[in-house]
Amino acid sequence: MSALLEVAELSVTYRAEGGDVNALRGVSLMAEAGEVIGIVGESGCGKSTLAAALIALLETNATVGTGEVRLNGRDILSLPEAERRKLRGHDIAMISQDPMTAFSPVLTMGDQIVDFQQHSGLSRAARRARAADMLRKVGIADAEICLRRYPHELSGGMRQRVAVAAALMANPALLVADEPTTALDVTMEAQIIHMLRSLRTEINGAIVIVTHHLGVIGELCDRVYVMYAGQVVEEAPVDDLYHAPRHPYTQALIACDPGALGAGQGVLPTIPGRPPDLTAPPPGCGFAPRCPLADGTCHSKPPPRVRVSAQQTALCHKVVS
Amino acid sequence: MLGYSIKRVALALLILVVVMLGMFAMVYVIPGDPASIALGPRATPELKALLIQRMGLDQSLPNQIWHFFRAAATGDLGIDVWSKRPVLDVILEVFPKTLLLGAVSLCWAVVLGIGLGCLAVIWRGTFIDRLLGVLSVSMIAVPSFVIALYSLLIFAVWLGWLPAIGAGQSGDWGSQARALILPSFAIGVSWVGYIARLVRASMLEVMGANHIRTARAFGLPETVVVLKYALRIAIVPTIAIIAIGAGSILSSAVFVETVFSRPGIGTLITGAVEKRNYPVVMGTVLFMTAFYLFVVTAADLLIARLDPRVRDVLRG
Ligand SMILES: Nc1ncnc2c1ncn2[C@@H]1O[C@H](COP(=O)(O)OP(=O)(O)OP(=O)(O)O)[C@@H](O)[C@H]1O
Ligand SMILES: [Mg+2]
């Protein structure tokens, strides 16, 4: 039997002024129902593009080169737009990055959250009652008052709770959260993570969390995909990723994580260099120019995907299984 | 919101006062003595003196201004020199006709403009979008009296579908409505172009916003996304333009009423200017200024109501 979500060798290109951007270059991943997977990587590595592909809502200047995104065995990217629209908000839900701009400023929260349940077939009054229940579940005590508010009258944390509630109400098979806590301050972030954790059992489908913050991954995820320059460079269960990272990029990423720093270490280490230009990706390994282990082969030949254990792989010439 | 409303109304009144003062100054620089004109070449000096006294032209300037303001405040805009009827009555008799013409023109402009603007957004980047763009620009570029003349020629003279002149027979709604079509279209059409362009531009800006993406991510139909989520925001700058347009539409009405020989404020004021019927000229200008200020102020208050963010800034 196939997995709930399967992404197979997905390539996505943006048509742009200064040359086409190869935002995704053969990304594969999978998630089972009940699983929480994390996508982590530096800014610009293609995380949001992947998230957009997962909800079948790529930008208009994006084209899918090869590959598929299969949800319950169906390739959602090849469906006509009308079919994809039926999936969104029903089988697939999204929590967006920026709670400040995620809602229409001229409609009340209630009005929008009622609209968002249009696949439910319920009356507006019934949807509103459901929304109030869900808001209480995500920790908003004055649900009725919240529904009457406009977005700008709520704090960022409150708005993000409403966004989570809206997504949960779809009871989706796949929930995609693109940087759900990045725009929030540290205490808010902790609260939202705590809430997402306690709600994990409420969600029957798979959850994909996109972030550049390793701490979020550690708190919430079962398995992690590390992305670099449009590729998945390492895949591992969350514990293995922290304790036995194999790809040099993952190792550097973990060494740079402020949360994982030991005492006495004054300066925050950073990875020297910058990611490659995605308009002209290098023939070899994308990380080679920044990699301490890189040799001639790394620069000239695409790296193989090496299986390290049943659940862990790395895209690297230097990793041996 | 209340404080803001008071401020806007006060500003409108201030502008009105300035316009009234300006008007006074203008009557004084225009050549031609109103009393002699009113009485004709064979007027006796006695008669002339009597009329000058009756019109208050012999009093000191500050006195005249004071009387004018005090009278205007009570709705007394003076007496029509020719018909001897109160100016306000003369205006109110024809104003509904101009108002109707303006309102129907505005309807054309708003309905067609917003409709075409939305179509251009739904089909953005396609041939239809480009065609609508060319169409809108040509509608903006061609002056309304040219459209008035050509539509008159085509639909009234050649095809004979619609009446060429007049406002239709009184009491006959059908004939009045048919008489409205051509002039109102001639006035409204250039605003169709403006509004379509503006709606398209502000819609495209709104369509790129994050909350539109949220709406799509929840699978809302594109029509709901466009009409409820985008248009509601994109309409705000359009309302401001429509309010300004109301002023321009009224001035186009002056031309178009003349072309179609329709009774109205336009024909009233052109006639009064020709005859140097000063009370009517001043009264009409004053009346129209007040009306225009009313429309613009109302639009400002409406914008404040439509956008809850503006509303809160004003409240706080
Ligand atoms: N609409 C677009 N048109 C052209 N290029 C784009 C577009 N969106 C993203 N890109 C480019 O594609 C690449 C991947 O972008 P993406 O937003 O997926 O990265 P990300 O990992 O989400 O980054 P961040 O952490 O900054 O959100 C980047 O180089 C970006 O500049
Ligand atoms: Mg992103």
Side-chain angles (χ1 to χ4, degrees):
Chain A
M1 215 197 99
S2 64
L4 175 73
L5 170 72
E6 264 181 307
V7 179
E9 288 299 321
L10 182 66
S11 296
V12 172
T13 310
Y14 288 109
R15 208 163 299 288
E17 291 286 317
D20 293 357
V21 183
N22 297 284
L24 296 182
R25 303 188 290 144
V27 169
S28 297
L29 56 80
M30 63 83 126
E32 300 287 0
E35 213 179 12
V36 181
I37 65 166
I39 313 277
V40 69
E42 272 173 303
S43 184
C45 69
K47 303 184 298 293
S48 295
T49 308
L50 178 58
L54 292 182
I55 61 168
L57 192 62
L58 284 163
E59 299 287 332
T60 42
N61 66 334
T63 48
V64 179
T66 59
E68 294 182 343
V69 173
R70 284 192 293 272
L71 187 67
N72 289 318
R74 221 161 41 135
D75 179 15
I76 59 173
L77 292 181
S78 64
L79 293 174
E81 171 55 23
E83 293 293 313
R84 281 185 274 175
R85 190 175 75 66
K86 282 187 202 145
L87 289 175
R88 294 197 295 264
H90 186 60
D91 299 294
I92 308 171
M94 178 201 75
I95 300 171
S96 99
Q97 166 166 4
D98 187 1
M100 300 303 147
T101 58
F103 294 97
S104 168
V106 299
L107 299 172
T108 61
M109 283 299 191
D111 200 1
Q112 301 184 55
I113 211 168
V114 164
D115 276 350
F116 294 166
Q117 300 171 61
Q118 35 98 36
H119 291 308
S120 68
L122 298 169
S123 72
R124 285 188 84 83
R127 292 187 223 165
R128 206 180 168 92
R130 242 185 114 213
D133 286 344
M134 189 54 89
L135 287 183
R136 282 184 210 105
K137 266 189 202 157
V138 299
I140 297 175
D142 297 327
E144 282 300 333
I145 297 175
C146 178
L147 286 175
R148 281 198 297 275
R149 291 262 184 274
Y150 289 95
H152 71 280
E153 297 171 328
L154 302 175
S155 70
M158 282 278 263
R159 279 187 242 185
Q160 201 59 317
R161 279 170 198 269
V162 178
V164 172
L168 292 185
M169 250 177 308
N171 191 17
L174 172 64
L175 174 64
V176 179
D178 187 0
E179 314 249 7
T181 60
T182 307
L184 303 174
D185 62 39
V186 184
T187 25
M188 280 298 177
E189 176 168 27
Q191 283 180 21
I192 296 287
I193 289 176
H194 181 77
M195 181 193 83
L196 285 173
R197 235 160 63 150
S198 64
L199 288 171
R200 259 196 68 168
T201 46
E202 296 265 329
I203 302 162
N204 308 315
I207 306 178
V208 176
I209 295 190
V210 171
T211 180
H212 61 253
H213 188 166
L214 274 172
V216 174
I217 297 280
E219 293 283 341
L220 288 172
C221 300
D222 303 318
R223 285 186 307 111
V224 187
Y225 292 85
V226 180
M227 282 187 67
Y228 186 81
Q231 293 178 312
V232 171
V233 295
E234 183 158 6
E235 167 196 351
V238 72
D239 286 341
D240 296 347
L241 190 89
Y242 275 103
H243 299 119
R246 298 301 296 272
H247 195 283
Y249 175 65
T250 318
Q251 291 167 351
L253 205 61
I254 286 171
C256 295
D257 182 29
L261 273 188
Q265 247 178 307
V267 226
L268 193 64
T270 52
I271 311 175
R274 348 168 80 249
D277 180 6
L278 290 178
T279 53
C285 169
F287 190 59
R290 302 166 81 181
C291 181
L293 309 176
D295 59 19
T297 332
C298 295
H299 285 280
S300 58
K301 276 175 62 184
R305 187 164 300 281
V306 181
R307 183 158 292 282
V308 190
S309 72
Q311 294 225 55
Q312 190 169 7
T313 67
L315 191 70
C316 183
H317 286 294
K318 297 292 172 191
V319 172
V320 283
S321 51
Chain B
M1 185 80 190
L2 185 68
Y4 176 74
S5 312
I6 293 171
K7 254 189 255 166
R8 289 296 296 132
V9 172
L11 183 67
L13 289 177
L14 183 71
I15 295 172
L16 195 59
V17 167
V18 171
V19 168
M20 284 165 81
L21 290 175
M23 245 162 45
F24 237 92
M26 216 142 73
V27 172
Y28 273 84
V29 289
I30 293 173
D33 165 15
S36 333
I37 302 267
L39 293 169
R42 271 185 273 169
T44 62
E46 292 77 41
L47 260 176
K48 212 172 128 180
L50 189 71
L51 189 69
I52 284 180
Q53 196 214 344
R54 242 206 355 237
M55 289 172 76
L57 293 171
D58 58 340
Q59 293 183 21
S60 72
L61 187 60
N63 241 342
Q64 285 189 40
I65 294 176
W66 165 245
H67 282 301
F68 182 48
F69 271 80
R70 205 184 49 189
T74 59
D76 174 8
L77 297 179
I79 302 291
D80 182 337
V81 181
W82 294 90
S83 71
K84 307 285 184 284
R85 295 169 55 211
V87 170
L88 190 63
D89 289 0
V90 175
I91 293 173
L92 287 181
E93 191 180 287
V94 292
F95 181 62
K97 299 194 172 79
T98 302
L99 194 62
L100 182 67
L101 178 63
V104 175
S105 313
L106 207 57
C107 282
W108 280 109
V110 169
V111 172
L112 287 179
I114 292 180
L116 294 185
C118 287
L119 286 185
V121 169
I122 291 171
W123 282 308
R124 61 189 165 275
T126 66
F127 170 72
I128 294 173
D129 184 16
R130 281 192 292 279
L131 185 74
L132 289 175
V134 172
L135 205 65
S136 305
V137 172
S138 22
M139 285 193 276
I140 296 168
V142 183
S144 56
F145 65 88
V146 172
I147 296 182
L149 287 172
Y150 273 96
S151 58
L152 198 74
L153 202 63
I154 297 171
F155 292 101
V157 179
W158 289 347
L159 297 172
W161 289 350
L162 296 164
I165 57 165
Q169 275 130 27
S170 59
D172 179 356
W173 287 98
S175 103
Q176 284 181 17
R178 272 203 309 283
L180 253 177
I181 294 176
L182 283 183
S184 62
F185 184 72
I187 298 172
V189 76
S190 65
W191 285 89
V192 173
Y194 272 121
I195 293 172
R197 291 276 86 187
L198 192 70
V199 165
R200 181 184 179 276
S202 44
M203 282 281 258
L204 284 184
E205 194 186 316
V206 175
M207 295 295 272
N210 201 15
H211 69 265
I212 296 294
R213 192 176 161 76
T214 308
R216 291 207 176 112
F218 279 97
L220 295 194
E222 194 65 9
T223 45
V224 175
V225 172
V226 168
L227 295 180
K228 181 168 179 183
Y229 281 74
L231 189 59
R232 174 85 195 257
I233 295 175
I235 204 79
V236 170
T238 314
I239 289 175
I241 278 292
I242 289 173
I244 296 166
S248 149
I249 279 177
L250 287 176
S251 52
S252 315
V254 175
F255 283 107
V256 172
E257 279 176 355
T258 318
V259 172
F260 287 91
S261 314
R262 283 178 65 88
I265 292 286
T267 30
L268 179 67
I269 201 166
T270 32
V273 167
E274 274 165 15
K275 295 178 192 156
R276 299 234 160 73
N277 194 344
Y278 286 172
V280 173
V281 174
M282 281 164 73
T284 312
V285 171
L286 179 58
F287 185 86
M288 293 314 279
T289 308
F291 180 73
Y292 180 51
L293 286 172
F294 167 75
V295 170
V296 173
T297 308
D300 271 357
L301 297 180
L302 179 65
I303 289 169
R305 255 224 71 76
L306 265 187
D307 192 331
R309 290 166 301 177
V310 178
R311 204 188 306 159
D312 276 15
V313 169
L314 301 175
R315 193 187 289 146

